[in-house]
Amino acid sequence: MQLTGAQIIWECLVREGVDVVFGYPGGAILHAYDALTQYTDRIHHVLVRHEQGASHMADGYARATSKVGVCVATSGPGATNLITGLATAMMDSSPIVAITGQVPVDAIGSDAFQETDVTGATLPVTKHNYLVTDVAELAYTIKEAFYIARTGRPGPVLIDIPKDVQKALTEFIYPEENIVLPGYQPPSSANDDQLAAMVELIHNSERPVILAGHGVTMSGANAEVQELAERLQIPIAQTLLGKGCVPEEHPMVIGWMGMHGDAAVNHAIQEADLLIAAGMRFDDRVTGNLKTYSPYSKKIHIDIDPSELNKNVPTDVPVAGDLRTVLAQLLPKLERRQHPEWLNLIRDRQEDANERDILHHDTGDKLITAQVINDLWKHTNGNAITVSDVGQHQMLEAQYYPHQRPNTLLTSGGLGTMGFGFPAAIGAKFGKPDEEVWAVVGDGGFQMTLCELATAKQENINVNIAIINNNFLGMVRQWQELFYDKRYQSTPMFSPDFCKLADAYDIPSMRVTSRDQMAESVEFARNIDGPVLIEYVVEKEEMVYPMVPAGADLHDMKRRPKPGESA
Amino acid sequence: MTDRDIQTKQGKMTIVALVENKAGVLNRVASLFRRRAFNVDSLTVGRTHKPHVSRMTIVVDGGVENPYKVAAHLKKLVNVIDVRVLNDIPHVSRDLLLVKVRVDGSERSNGVTSICERYPAKIIDIGPYVAIVEMSGTEELVEKFLKALEPFEIVELVRTGVVAMGRGTRIQDTEFEPPAPLKNVTSTHKSVV
């Protein structure tokens, strides 16, 4: 069957199981859009308002579903606008395929209109990328791109397709054989030596901690990690992206780690005699000062990406493998163990943290973010998919909205991309139409991608937007308060009247200024089929505690004083 | 030897990578080194006896870089087929040098000739004023030869950087063949590296 390159793109996408793409047309991708006309019964195209939104939507879709998200853009500025989204997906190992138009093959290198070296520009922010210069390669390349995006350590893959390649005709043969790449064989299992070494360390440990990261869910090892924790009574500490990989209400889950993580967890890591790092990568926000990080512990590190082993933290037993496979090998070799003293020590510290919790402080009539998030949790029965942006509200979401299921907290962890939350929530809702989806965003981050309000309205997508408005770039202000003598340079922020703005897009909205409106606001959002915007006007100068200052030792946390204590 | 022993070990470390002979692969490797701030002493690349495979020899300073970390990141590139740290095994290495020296006057020309006799060096071009000398050997021998030439005036110099190979039956090769759909494609952008 003779097909054009443009038709082959959609034929391949259909075969990869893609039913929604996020994109924006333009000159160099027009052939592809023209061919899309024949595929609209199988593929729904979401017209975004800025290509960055398309990349975040594909990312949100991928994180919510564990399937590959797809975004489409034209050459030049269209493609460069994707870069922030690609970098975000790269840092958080999110599988997306980006398809970009390119100027015709003969024009490449001539500085043609809307020409950018997109494969060059995206090289450091993609897992792999392609420039397809012959239509005969196209089908195989697309199949390979999806394979690379979703296997091993997932990540973004970009395919740059010149306009004349989209137009060219070729015999369409979909490659039925499995992709075999000589330089790409993700590792799978542990060897006997590694298993024996792990068993010995785990059996001999008195103060073990499991560090559970994003890889737990990506590998589908949730049940295995829970089993490991239950059988040997090992507490589980989660990373930001690992939250919910084992239900947070599970008795072995002690909380989350790092800069704004639970104090009891950070202390446990520092005092542990064994860390079992499972699908996490010892990011600096998790370790603090590497020189003093968990000094008494032996370390087991299981990750599918061999380059992560011994990268930041020297490891006693590094295992390059698929976490689920490795744990399935390991579990039958392990005996039951108890660590009552260790667990009691951690629980005592959790009691202490509870006393410091701002929810137990008298905050008068003021609306504070922790309450907003906690009430949101209560009124959504802790069961929504929340997509947070970046900043104070993101950290408070992680602290006050416990997640019981994997893939229900979606947030830009590694890159910390402001503007991610709202478009990613749209993408997540397309992936999980039956779930309640909330974008929890700050006034700063929301304004970076608020143009997607039009997309949400055009699609009538049922996403609830909770804007936590403190008229500040809150997290930067917190750093200025603590480390720059309260010189609030460029952090106080004018914002539009968000409700009027919603009105302009014909989106229902509500402004919440006191706590007794919380239940009503959630109910209001739930009863509307389509996008809803709720503005929560909160205290201007809140602090997120605990806090490990950047580069400080993990146990050196700034804490909120207990009631009655002075700061 | 474990990774951590290496971190404190001084000396140059040689890494050999087999890569797919595709457009942009050298750029991917160079971009990786720049991005991760790996300190590269030399990098050479060329075709092999298999048209779809190229081979790179990379030398890093073992006192600054952990070569196993460099190797792990290299291996992560999709187009990189196989990576080995050659210091783990007996191997031979060669650096090729072309050096143009002044040979005007009999004292200079006799001096250069006699040095060349003591090294595996050849004069491959000579005129009344300058000669081009070719020499190949280990990096250390090349350095030594250059030291010997110092009293004469070096006016131009080029080195290829080190290429290396494991000794005996330590064969670094790949069974890789390009997949059938791509085998007969004549891409406009196909070239070495």
Side-chain angles (χ1 to χ4, degrees):
Chain A
M1 184 173 40
Q2 291 273 313
L3 292 184
T4 64
Q7 290 171 308
I8 288 173
I9 295 171
W10 304 114
E11 285 287 341
C12 289
L13 259 51
V14 167
R15 284 171 170 78
E16 292 294 339
V18 175
D19 51 16
V20 59
V21 299
F22 308 92
Y24 205 102
I29 194 75
L30 259 180
H31 290 312
Y33 271 84
D34 188 44
L36 175 60
T37 312
Q38 304 154 23
Y39 294 87
T40 46
D41 56 332
R42 282 161 287 173
I43 294 179
H44 178 64
H45 179 270
V46 176
L47 175 67
V48 299
R49 294 301 182 271
H50 185 289
E51 290 88 348
Q52 183 188 346
S55 56
H56 290 326
M57 285 178 207
D59 191 348
Y61 176 92
R63 292 179 199 230
T65 61
S66 298
K67 293 195 287 187
V68 179
V70 179
C71 55
V72 183
T74 192
S75 65
T80 57
N81 280 346
L82 293 177
I83 287 179
T84 303
L86 293 171
T88 306
M90 183 73 173
M91 283 290 251
D92 289 348
S93 310
S94 182
I96 68 179
V97 167
I99 293 170
T100 50
Q102 182 54 280
V103 301
V105 172
D106 287 345
I108 290 176
S110 71
D111 300 321
F113 177 66
Q114 290 193 332
E115 184 192 355
T116 301
D117 171 16
V118 172
T119 42
T122 59
L123 199 61
V125 295
T126 50
K127 183 174 174 185
H128 195 54
N129 63 22
Y130 302 89
L131 170 63
V132 181
T133 53
D134 187 323
V135 70
E137 292 181 30
L138 186 57
Y140 196 90
T141 303
I142 294 173
K143 183 164 181 176
E144 195 175 290
F146 274 84
Y147 173 72
I148 290 175
R150 70 170 175 260
T151 54
R153 178 179 180 174
V157 179
L158 180 137
I159 314 170
D160 202 24
I161 310 173
K163 192 170 186 178
D164 51 342
V165 174
Q166 295 169 38
K167 198 179 177 192
L169 274 168
T170 191
E171 185 65 25
F172 174 62
I173 306 163
Y174 186 70
E176 296 300 337
E177 68 270 29
N178 287 330
I179 297 289
V180 179
L181 288 159
Y184 181 79
Q185 290 106 9
S188 62
S189 55
N191 63 35
D192 289 344
D193 290 349
Q194 289 170 325
L195 288 170
M198 285 192 279
V199 169
E200 197 193 327
L201 286 183
I202 293 172
H203 280 164
N204 291 333
S205 158
E206 288 170 1
R207 300 187 307 280
V209 179
I210 295 169
L211 309 180
H214 196 190
V216 174
T217 297
M218 286 193 290
S219 148
N222 310 67
E224 285 78 3
V225 169
Q226 188 171 327
E227 166 78 19
L228 176 67
E230 286 169 358
R231 193 184 305 176
L232 289 107
Q233 290 292 296
I234 306 176
I236 299 174
Q238 298 176 336
T239 67
L240 179 61
L241 296 191
K243 281 180 77 73
C245 70
V246 174
E248 290 191 54
E249 66 188 12
H250 189 282
M252 293 317 297
V253 174
I254 54 171
W256 68 304
M257 65 183 93
M259 185 175 268
H260 295 291
D262 294 299
V265 171
N266 287 346
H267 281 301
I269 289 169
Q270 290 300 79
E271 291 164 16
D273 68 355
L274 176 67
L275 296 184
I276 306 169
M280 55 84 73
R281 61 183 178 88
F282 293 109
D283 178 87
D284 58 87
R285 286 305 193 254
V286 152
T287 62
N289 183 2
L290 281 171
K291 289 195 181 79
T292 57
Y293 179 70
S294 191
Y296 313 113
S297 64
K298 299 276 186 187
K299 290 162 190 90
I300 294 170
H301 190 183
I302 309 166
D303 200 285
I304 197 151
D305 179 355
S307 72
E308 287 298 345
L309 306 172
N310 285 314
K311 186 181 83 175
N312 295 338
V313 172
T315 306
D316 299 276
V317 186
V319 181
D322 170 57
L323 185 63
R324 188 178 180 181
T325 310
V326 173
L327 290 183
Q329 290 175 286
L330 182 65
L331 282 168
K333 299 179 190 299
L334 293 173
E335 295 159 12
R336 291 188 178 278
R337 284 285 193 278
Q338 300 288 334
H339 308 100
E341 283 175 33
W342 177 228
L343 292 173
N344 284 338
L345 176 67
I346 295 169
R347 279 176 194 137
D348 287 348
R349 293 227 175 89
Q350 287 174 324
E351 287 298 313
D352 174 75
N354 271 338
E355 288 178 43
R356 296 171 190 270
D357 192 326
I358 194 160
L359 295 186
H360 303 144
H361 290 210
D362 179 15
T363 46
D365 299 334
K366 299 167 181 173
L367 192 60
I368 59 165
T369 309
Q371 285 167 349
V372 171
I373 306 277
N374 205 239
D375 286 352
L376 187 64
W377 168 72
K378 248 184 251 165
H379 298 306
T380 56
N381 308 317
N383 205 27
I385 293 180
T386 60
V387 188
S388 56
D389 209 75
V390 169
Q392 286 184 318
H393 74 275
Q394 177 191 32
M395 295 297 105
L396 291 163
E397 198 285 343
Q399 292 181 349
Y400 290 98
Y401 197 116
H403 290 266
Q404 310 308 335
R405 295 176 299 147
N407 291 340
T408 56
L409 165 58
L410 314 182
T411 193
S412 169
L415 199 68
T417 308
M418 286 177 69
F420 169 85
F422 175 41
I426 295 175
K429 184 67 184 180
F430 272 104
K432 292 279 183 183
D434 298 329
E435 303 246 5
E436 181 174 359
V437 176
W438 282 81
V440 180
V441 298
D443 46 326
F446 180 65
Q447 290 188 68
M448 287 191 173
T449 46
L450 63 73
C451 56
E452 304 306 339
L453 282 171
T455 310
K457 185 65 194 178
Q458 186 169 345
E459 296 290 335
N460 200 39
I461 187 87
N462 198 350
V463 167
N464 305 322
I465 308 159
I467 302 178
I468 312 294
N469 185 3
N470 60 0
N471 287 103
F472 258 115
L473 294 173
M475 186 57 89
V476 182
R477 190 210 58 77
Q478 174 167 341
W479 284 50
Q480 288 173 331
E481 174 173 339
L482 292 173
F483 312 120
Y484 296 89
D485 292 332
K486 298 193 178 185
R487 288 185 295 277
Y488 296 152
Q489 177 59 50
S490 303
T491 44
M493 189 172 220
F494 163 83
S495 290
D497 180 327
F498 286 114
C499 292
K500 274 191 188 164
L501 182 77
D503 203 31
Y505 285 98
D506 197 17
I507 288 174
S509 67
M510 178 175 170
R511 178 172 292 120
V512 175
T513 52
S514 76
R515 206 173 165 197
D516 51 27
Q517 295 171 277
M518 282 304 305
E520 186 196 342
S521 70
V522 173
E523 207 47 39
F524 172 75
R526 280 180 149 183
N527 287 337
I528 289 165
D529 182 27
V532 181
L533 183 152
I534 319 268
E535 179 191 7
Y536 295 96
V537 181
V538 298
E539 271 303 286
K540 280 178 184 291
E541 300 187 20
E542 293 185 48
M543 299 292 276
V544 182
Y545 289 116
M547 179 182 193
V548 182
D553 305 336
L554 190 59
H555 52 269
D556 183 16
M557 283 167 278
K558 291 182 184 297
R559 304 288 302 272
R560 175 178 287 111
K562 294 179 190 180
E565 276 182 12
S566 57
Chain B
M1 197 163 0
T2 68
D3 288 18
R4 265 189 280 174
D5 296 330
I6 289 292
Q7 280 170 347
T8 53
K9 192 181 146 67
Q10 296 293 314
K12 288 184 178 173
M13 303 293 290
T14 307
I15 301 165
V16 171
L18 300 180
V19 304
E20 289 183 69
N21 180 12
K22 277 188 178 170
V25 176
L26 178 61
N27 186 25
R28 288 176 197 279
V29 172
S31 172
L32 167 73
F33 288 150
R34 177 190 50 75
R35 183 166 103 70
R36 301 266 175 202
F38 291 146
N39 220 330
V40 174
D41 208 64
S42 75
L43 188 160
T44 67
V45 55
R47 291 189 181 89
T48 66
H49 58 302
K50 293 184 176 164
H52 47 274
V53 179
S54 298
R55 179 164 166 140
M56 293 180 178
T57 309
I58 300 146
V59 177
V60 299
D61 185 345
V64 181
E65 303 297 347
N66 175 352
Y68 295 94
K69 187 169 158 182
V70 178
H73 278 104
L74 257 180
K75 187 65 197 67
K76 208 168 140 180
L77 296 175
V78 171
N79 301 123
V80 173
I81 302 167
D82 185 60
V83 183
R84 287 185 202 177
V85 178
L86 278 205
N87 294 57
D88 293 347
I89 59 169
H91 65 281
V92 293
S93 68
R94 288 291 179 272
D95 190 3
L96 173 66
L97 164 83
L98 296 182
V99 58
K100 192 178 280 179
V101 286
R102 277 180 68 171
V103 289
D104 44 340
S106 60
E107 195 181 320
R108 274 211 179 91
S109 81
N110 290 341
V112 169
T113 311
S114 87
I115 289 169
C116 286
E117 280 164 3
R118 285 187 274 123
Y119 285 86
K122 261 195 315 209
I123 293 169
I124 54 173
D125 178 59
I126 192 155
Y129 307 108
V130 291
I132 299 176
V133 182
E134 172 198 312
M135 189 263 185
S136 82
T138 61
E139 208 183 354
E140 295 71 35
L141 193 69
V142 171
E143 295 290 345
K144 229 169 131 188
F145 176 65
L146 282 172
K147 195 101 190 141
L149 278 184
E150 245 170 38
F152 309 93
E153 198 173 326
I154 295 174
V155 291
E156 207 178 329
L157 188 151
V158 62
R159 292 167 74 164
T160 58
V162 171
V163 293
M165 196 176 271
R167 290 179 63 181
T169 51
R170 296 168 190 90
I171 290 159
Q172 186 173 5
D173 197 6
T174 171
E175 300 298 312
F176 159 62
E177 292 289 333
L182 303 188
K183 220 165 189 175
N184 300 317
V185 170
T186 49
S187 166
T188 46
H189 277 65
K190 275 222 168 115
S191 67
V192 70
V193 304

